[in-house]
Structure formats: structure tokens, C-alpha cells
Amino acid sequence: MNAAVRAVVRMGIYVKAKVYFVYEGYQGMVDGGDNIVEVSWESVSSILQVGGTVIGSARCKSFRTREGRLQAAYNLVQRGITNLCVIGGDGSLTGANLFREEWSGLLEELAQKGKIDEEAVKKYAYLNIVGMVGSIDNDFCGTDMTIGTDSALHRIIEVVDAIMTTAQSHQRTFVLEVMGRHCGYLALVSALACGADWVFIPEYPPEEGWEDSMCVKLSENRARKKRLNIIIVAEGAIDCHNKPITSEKVKDLVVQRLGFDTRVTILGHVQRGGTPSAFDRILASRMGVEAVLALLEATPATPACVVSLSGNQAVRLPLMECVQMTQEVQKAMDEGRFVEAVRLRGRSFENNLNTYKLLSHKKPDAELPKTNFNVAVLNVGAPAAGMNAAVRAAVRVGITEGHKMFAVIDGFEGFARGKIKEISWGDVGGWTGQGGSILGTKRTLPAKYLEKIADQMRTNNINALMVIGGFETCDRIKQSASGTKRRVFIIETMGGYCGYLANMGALAAGADAAYIFEEQFDIRELQANVEHLTEKMKTSIQRGLVLRNENCNENYTTDFIYQLYSEEGKGVFDCRKNVLGHMQQGGAPSPFDRNFGTKIAAKAMQWISKKLKETYRKGKVFANTDDSVCLLGMRRRNLVFQPVAELKNETDFVHRIPKEQWWLKLRPLMKILAKYKTSYDVSDSGQLEHVAVRSPKEAETGAI
């Protein structure tokens, strides 16, 4: 939430508006006084990395009464406030919408009571409201991700990863209870991200007789020498008769039926705390800026809206449409319409569920189709977190589709040397949380091995290849440098010639500058940056952060920039530098990388199956058209299969980057939040849309 607060304050000041904090939520608005204070640029310094919210939040009974809202309206009018940005869940946002609807009536009543004059009634006639959804449950319809969800997933996965080491040592079963009284998103995505054996969520209760099915699956896994069983239970989990399924009930069942050593871990409020993830900081920063733009463009006829995320695009949706849809989900669950409840949750939730079902339960061999196609999977380029999750998904979906799956060791080089073997469902168990590349990967390009690779494809009768990797696979980085008194950190990030890590790392960490190859700079700009930072450090600002992409400029090296800042900052601040290097490629993959790698590989394998069937004639595969070699990736809101032949014109092969980078539109955002005078292109900002729900037929296509 703090990243959103910071962005609203700084974007508000950037557009020359007065910005106020309302402390302690609606209670502070009702109480007034010191709870509503004007704030400055410095008021939100060094809060990006802090969990929770610096302005506080409180449940307020008095705001639910007209008398309370009347007092709140009076307190706002006294300060000339007619634009409200509300960060909260559906209850908070519904209250805000009611407040907006009553506003003119509240002002009339205040005038009748003599508290304000008629001029004030005319001057402050309309109240504009924009909402941002802050909820770790991701339970608000209309947005892919709510603020706080990704950080909560980090907390859960950290616990699961820690449990895995101890449970494997002792051969245990763990039942993990996570938050989600009315929404199973956290439980579902955690299960997907750690390869859990079973998951219980309120939207998708298990079928009658689930107790037997679960125990059979746990026994089979243990028989396959799997030393650890993980069962994830959402706190609101229910059976098909709407009766609760508790973590203790699941534990007792496993102990009584199977005699397994079983432990329960209830995460509770641990999920709400901790340092926010890079994803949440960037999401909240973008939403905060979008909220201010929405308030500036609002008219009396504009409905109250929420700013939201769809794919990598900011969108605006009518607040009450989202609230009504969210309430419809609960109504569907109460009435036992669970298929409808899943569909109403939205395509992201639905596809998480479909992918989990696809990957978690292996059908008996007798029930699997047989296609006689052989499909190989290999990793290329630099290792990136999430590669192993993608391989696991590809192998299991391929087997489900009826193909024989092969793994290639050490990329194209290994392929040429015949390092290829058949890989089974069980071989990829436990891969989701592993960092690096278990198959091995090398940066060798296939050009000098083409004939040998072709021989291996003939020898092993390989009909299709799934290649996971790329030029220099861009991982995500969350880098926050909190310094002591007056200190500037110069950080060098990886990425080859692609400045994504430096730019998005800068946005996530609240950096003062980020030097990238895509945006050329000279000594004058460097000097201006140093002077700008020096002036900031003369105020109450305690630390500065500068990021530099490793190949942004061959002459202005990290050492050069470090020495320049050190010399020019003498007497004001001192400098430290850090070259992050290969630590960026290591470590356990984040929940996002595990989930994205899993879903994108599953979708890719389904595409391969479709293409194989389309091009199979007289015992052979005839795949010689441009669309038989595609790259799968996200474009704006959708995952798109793009023929590689078409990508040639869009690619800078010398520097191994796209000619157009979508994230460059976020560059001004980073500069605005760092107090630079710059222009901001609003042509790409969100437009008011309506909440869309896929029809059952669309849902069957399984688009992610």
C-alpha cells in the first residue's frame, strides 16, 4: 500500500495539486483535526520498502451512519478536498461510492444546519472517487492482481520452501492453511507454485468421496519414493455440501487412514507482513499514478472507478460493476453453483485452476491417448528462474496429450552430442521451486551444430521441439538500498543491452536515476542527475539510488559513474557501488516466475499438440510453414503465438533486443516519482471499460 500512497502523493504534486493524508481510514475522515494533513514530497520518502501502510487503516462504524458521513463531508469541505483516492477492499470501496452518491445531499444538509454557506455548496458540488484494490486475497473481480497479493504469495512460498527441507528429512506430510475466507486464489497459486499434492479452495470443492481419492494419491506418491506430501487448505475451504474443510480435519484423516507423520502449519497474519515484493511495488506505483490521472479526467457524469491491471496494461473499471461481480461470486458459491463461481472469478483464476488440475493428477496409462508423436524439451541461453517450472509443465502436459516426451541436456550443444533421454511424469516432480536449469543450459547457438542436431532428430524421431530460453533471458530483480546518513548506492544490473531490469528495478526501489542502452545519455545528463540528487540530499532525504544496465554505455562505466557521484557529492553524501552479477540468475524462483513458467509452458505444449495433429499426413509431420515456428509471450493483455519469421523485422540482432520496448513508456513514471521535471504521455493510460466475463464457450478454449 505504501508504494501506492507514495505514487499518489508525488503524482498529485507533479500536477500541481494539494495532496492530503487521511490517517486511520474513514475514522480519520470522520474525526478530522490532525487526521487530515497536507503532505509534501518528502513525506513519502523511504516508505517503498515498508510493509503495511504508513497512514494507518481502521474499521469505522460511524462512517456506516449518515451522521458519520455528514461529519466526514464537513471535514473535507473545510479543506477544499473534492477528490478522494481510496485504497482498500470491496467494503471500503462500496462505502466510498455511497459517500459520493450522497455528497450533494450531505452538502445541502450542512448548509441547512449553517455549517457551510451556499457558495461552498456550489464550489464543492461534486466528489470524485477512484479506488485501488488493496487485498492479499486477490478477491476483487475485474483485476488480474490486487495490491498485496504477490507479497503474500512470497511469504507463503518462503514457508513452503523452508518446510520442504525439514519434511524431506523426516518423510512427513504437511497441511498448510493459508488466508482466503471467501477466495481461494492464494491457496490455488501456492499449490501451483510448489507442486502441492492437493488443494482445497471455496470456489471448487472436491467431489463426493474426496477422502478416498486424496489418500490414494498420497499413497501413490509415497510409493514412488516421494518423501514429502504438501496439502494446501484455504481458510474458507468447503465440501460440495457447503460444510467447512479445516486443516485439522485433513490432518486427522491422513493420520487415521494412512498413518503418515502429519503436521499442520497455519500461516495467519504472517502473510500480510514483510517487505513488499518488486511486483507489488511496481503495480502499486503504476496504479497510484493512474488513479491521479483518472481523478483529473473525472466529470460529474463519470462513475466512480477502480484502477486495475489486465496483462501488463492499466485499465479503469466502474467500481460498482466490480463490486457487484465480486458479490455474485459469493452468491454462486452459497447456492452451490461452483462452476459459475470459478468463471465469475475471471480468466486468470480459471486458468490457474485448469492448469493445476492438468498437472497435479496423472491419469492411469490405460486412460491416456496415444499419438505416436515424440516431443523434446530443451533450455537455451542464460539460466532464468522459472525454467524448471516450465519444463515440468511441458513434460506433464505432453504426457497428458499422449506424446512421448524427451529431455535434452545442455541445450543445443548437448542435442548435437546426443544427450537426449525420455523423461517421465515422476521425473519432473519437485522441479517447480528449483532455481537455475536442471536440464542444463548453454549460450551456444544452433548454427554450427545444425547437421548434427538434424541427425539426432531423425535418430530419435523427434516431431516437435519446445525451446525455453532466449537471447539473454530477462529475470526480474527486486533491489532496495536503504542507506545510512546521506549515502548514494550505485548498482549495476545484468540484462545485456536490455534495460528492463535496471528500469523496473529503479521503479520498484524508488531510484533516482537508471541508465539504460535504449535511452542514450551524455555527460550533461549525468551532471544534471548529480546536481538534482545533491539538491535532494540537502533536504531530509537520507539515501539515493542509481541503477546502471551493464551495457548502457561503453565509456560511462559503473566505476566512472561511481567516481563522478563521489567527487561531485563531497560534503553532501558518500557513495557505495555494487555489481550484482550472476546472483540475479540464482536463488529460488519467485511465485510469479513459477506460475508464469508453468502456465506458459502448458499453453505452448497444447499449441504443439494442435499443430502436430494439423500437419500429420500419411504417417509423417509436414510442418514447413512460417507458423510452425512460433514464440509465445505476453503482448499487452494476452499471450500471443508469433511466427519467428515475423519477429525478424522487429528485432535488433546486433544488441539482441526488440526494436520497440513496451516498458519504455514507464520511464517517465520513474523520473516523475524521483522529482524530475519531465513530460508524461497519457495516451497509453487506462480508459473506462466494462467488466467482462467470459462465456462458458470462451472458457473452454483455455486461453490464459
Side-chain angles (χ1 to χ4, degrees):
M1 281 183 165
N2 284 327
V5 170
R6 171 181 177 268
V8 169
V9 168
R10 293 192 168 178
M11 190 64 182
I13 292 170
Y14 169 78
V15 297
K16 305 288 192 295
K18 277 187 175 184
V19 185
Y20 291 81
F21 275 169
V22 178
Y23 288 101
E24 309 307 334
Y26 291 137
Q27 190 65 56
M29 203 190 299
V30 173
D31 294 344
D34 292 340
N35 290 300
I36 307 175
V37 295
E38 188 176 354
V39 290
S40 67
W41 189 274
E42 288 76 20
S43 302
V44 289
S45 292
S46 300
I47 67 169
L48 257 179
Q49 73 280 10
V50 180
T53 168
V54 295
I55 59 175
S57 178
R59 299 190 187 280
C60 179
K61 287 183 180 177
S62 53
F63 192 73
R64 294 179 183 175
T65 66
R66 186 175 172 86
E67 293 74 22
R69 294 191 291 276
L70 188 70
Q71 185 59 41
Y74 174 72
N75 289 330
L76 294 186
V77 168
Q78 289 295 98
R79 294 161 179 81
I81 298 171
T82 54
N83 293 290
L84 268 186
C85 182
V86 181
I87 311 168
D90 61 341
S92 305
L93 298 176
T94 304
N97 189 66
L98 176 62
F99 190 43
R100 179 180 189 262
E101 288 173 350
E102 291 182 345
W103 181 259
S104 56
L106 293 171
L107 263 56
E108 291 289 349
E109 191 174 332
L110 287 170
Q112 286 168 10
K113 290 182 176 180
K115 288 197 167 186
I116 60 173
D117 55 29
E118 286 299 326
E119 189 181 333
V121 174
K122 289 176 186 172
K123 187 176 180 182
Y124 306 119
Y126 301 105
L127 178 69
N128 298 315
I129 284 178
V130 172
M132 284 184 276
V133 190
S135 164
I136 68 163
D137 293 337
N138 204 26
D139 56 355
F140 195 79
C141 293
T143 180
D144 283 357
M145 286 284 269
T146 55
I147 296 166
T149 303
D150 189 65
S151 297
L153 284 171
H154 271 74
R155 300 294 91 77
I156 295 167
I157 295 304
E158 283 164 11
V159 170
V160 171
D161 288 350
I163 281 173
M164 277 185 162
T165 53
T166 177
Q168 283 176 340
S169 305
H170 297 282
Q171 209 169 10
R172 279 184 179 147
T173 297
F174 267 87
V175 181
L176 199 70
E177 184 181 302
V178 302
M179 282 186 165
R181 194 170 301 138
H182 304 293
C183 177
Y185 183 89
L186 287 179
L188 178 58
V189 176
S190 301
L192 200 56
C194 72
D197 297 271
W198 206 272
V199 63
F200 294 95
I201 59 174
E203 294 89 344
Y204 188 74
E207 293 174 358
E208 201 84 66
W210 62 268
E211 296 91 342
D212 296 333
S213 305
M214 186 183 76
C215 290
V216 167
K217 188 184 179 200
L218 295 178
S219 298
E220 287 174 351
N221 286 346
R222 193 62 67 91
R224 285 199 292 262
K225 300 290 188 285
K226 186 176 180 184
R227 299 180 61 82
L228 164 69
N229 299 118
I230 287 188
I231 301 164
I232 295 181
V233 183
E235 62 178 331
I238 51 174
D239 64 16
C240 54
H241 303 295
N242 257 321
K243 291 185 177 157
I245 296 175
T246 65
S247 49
E248 283 296 332
K249 179 181 177 179
V250 174
K251 175 204 165 184
D252 292 343
L253 178 72
V254 175
V255 172
Q256 288 162 14
R257 294 269 188 105
L258 303 173
F260 290 175
D261 183 3
T262 306
R263 306 294 167 91
V264 172
T265 298
I266 299 174
L267 290 184
H269 285 271
V270 167
Q271 294 156 85
R272 292 193 187 278
T275 303
S277 68
F279 183 95
D280 267 334
R281 298 185 201 190
I282 293 167
L283 170 68
S285 296
R286 290 181 67 185
M287 296 301 95
V289 168
E290 188 69 30
V292 173
L293 294 175
L295 285 171
L296 290 174
E297 294 166 17
T299 67
T302 311
C305 75
V306 285
V307 290
S308 164
L309 185 73
S310 178
N312 60 29
Q313 294 295 116
V315 294
R316 301 175 193 171
L317 300 165
L319 189 153
M320 289 316 293
E321 279 187 28
C322 296
V323 169
Q324 283 157 12
M325 183 80 72
T326 304
Q327 290 168 350
E328 279 294 315
V329 177
Q330 188 60 49
K331 188 181 175 191
M333 288 194 287
D334 292 341
E335 295 173 0
R337 295 181 288 114
F338 296 110
V339 173
E340 179 75 358
V342 168
R343 192 171 66 83
L344 289 169
R345 276 278 178 236
R347 65 175 187 170
S348 176
F349 186 94
E350 191 173 6
N351 288 305
N352 281 325
L353 180 59
N354 289 337
T355 307
Y356 177 77
K357 288 192 288 186
L358 199 62
L359 300 177
S360 60
H361 302 293
K362 182 180 185 287
K363 290 180 181 176
D365 290 343
E367 293 180 23
L368 289 173
K370 290 285 184 289
T371 64
N372 296 319
F373 293 132
N374 292 347
V375 180
V377 182
L378 73 159
N379 290 338
V380 301
M387 272 185 165
N388 297 320
V391 172
R392 170 183 174 268
V395 168
R396 291 194 170 181
V397 173
I399 290 169
T400 303
E401 296 276 329
H403 312 320
K404 191 179 279 188
M405 297 301 298
F406 290 82
V408 177
I409 311 301
D410 292 339
F412 288 119
E413 193 175 316
F415 205 174
R417 292 176 179 168
K419 295 167 80 171
I420 180 169
K421 63 177 184 179
E422 189 175 348
I423 189 165
S424 70
W425 182 283
D427 290 339
V428 292
W431 280 31
T432 313
Q434 301 291 316
S437 166
I438 294 172
L439 292 183
T441 178
K442 293 195 174 178
R443 291 189 172 182
T444 319
L445 292 172
K448 62 180 181 178
Y449 296 114
L450 281 180
E451 285 188 17
K452 289 182 179 177
I453 289 172
D455 286 341
Q456 288 297 330
M457 291 187 76
R458 275 192 292 270
T459 303
N460 293 282
N461 192 25
I462 301 298
N463 304 112
L465 269 183
M466 184 187 289
V467 183
I468 300 165
F471 274 153
E472 303 283 44
T473 311
C474 269
D475 197 354
R476 298 185 307 141
I477 179 178
K478 47 177 181 177
Q479 174 56 48
S480 170
S482 53
T484 53
K485 293 286 183 184
R486 306 283 192 276
R487 180 162 289 171
V488 173
F489 289 82
I490 316 291
I491 308 287
E492 181 185 300
T493 68
M494 292 176 80
Y497 288 94
C498 177
Y500 178 86
L501 288 180
N503 188 69
M504 302 306 270
L507 190 55
D512 299 278
Y515 301 113
I516 60 174
F517 173 78
E518 291 90 343
E519 197 173 271
Q520 294 297 296
F521 57 96
D522 56 22
I523 193 67
R524 289 182 293 276
E525 183 170 343
L526 282 169
Q527 185 62 34
N529 291 157
V530 175
E531 289 170 2
H532 179 83
L533 190 54
T534 304
E535 288 305 308
K536 275 174 72 174
M537 298 292 266
K538 286 177 182 175
T539 65
S540 59
I541 305 292
Q542 296 294 314
R543 62 108 177 132
L545 181 62
V546 175
L547 272 70
R548 177 190 176 273
N549 163 257
E550 59 184 346
N551 289 341
C552 66
N553 190 294
E554 61 182 339
N555 295 314
Y556 299 136
T557 62
T558 302
D559 282 332
F560 178 90
I561 291 173
Y562 165 70
Q563 288 162 2
L564 176 68
Y565 275 78
S566 296
E567 181 63 31
E568 297 298 317
K570 272 184 181 174
V572 180
F573 57 80
D574 64 354
C575 281
R576 295 288 185 274
K577 69 172 178 178
N578 190 352
V579 178
L580 295 177
H582 287 272
M583 67 174 285
Q584 292 159 81
Q585 292 177 341
S590 69
F592 178 93
D593 282 331
R594 299 182 197 197
N595 195 8
F596 189 65
T598 297
K599 289 201 290 186
I600 203 169
K603 192 174 179 72
M605 185 52 67
Q606 288 168 334
W607 178 87
I608 283 176
S609 295
K610 179 168 164 278
K611 286 290 174 188
L612 284 170
K613 288 168 189 169
E614 286 174 0
T615 56
Y616 185 71
R617 290 188 295 277
K618 295 179 181 178
K620 288 188 177 180
V621 173
F622 294 88
N624 49 14
T625 56
D626 282 351
D627 70 347
S628 65
V629 185
C630 283
L631 174 74
L632 174 59
M634 182 169 277
R635 284 253 166 136
R636 296 177 76 85
R637 300 189 194 182
N638 299 302
L639 285 174
V640 178
F641 289 96
Q642 193 153 358
V644 171
E646 290 179 10
L647 290 171
K648 285 180 183 175
N649 297 327
E650 299 176 25
T651 305
D652 174 352
F653 282 95
V654 175
H655 300 105
R656 302 169 79 165
I657 55 175
K659 288 177 182 174
E660 285 189 24
Q661 302 271 39
W662 69 268
W663 49 266
L664 282 173
K665 290 179 179 175
L666 301 180
R667 286 283 289 171
L669 185 61
M670 190 263 306
K671 293 180 179 179
I672 287 168
L673 298 179
K675 211 175 183 178
Y676 283 92
K677 289 183 172 67
T678 186
S679 59
Y680 186 65
D681 179 10
V682 296
S683 63
D684 203 43
S685 63
Q687 302 301 313
L688 193 65
E689 303 175 8
H690 291 286
V691 181
V693 180
R694 287 197 293 179
S695 67
K697 190 173 180 182
E698 285 177 308
E700 284 170 18
T701 64
I704 292 179

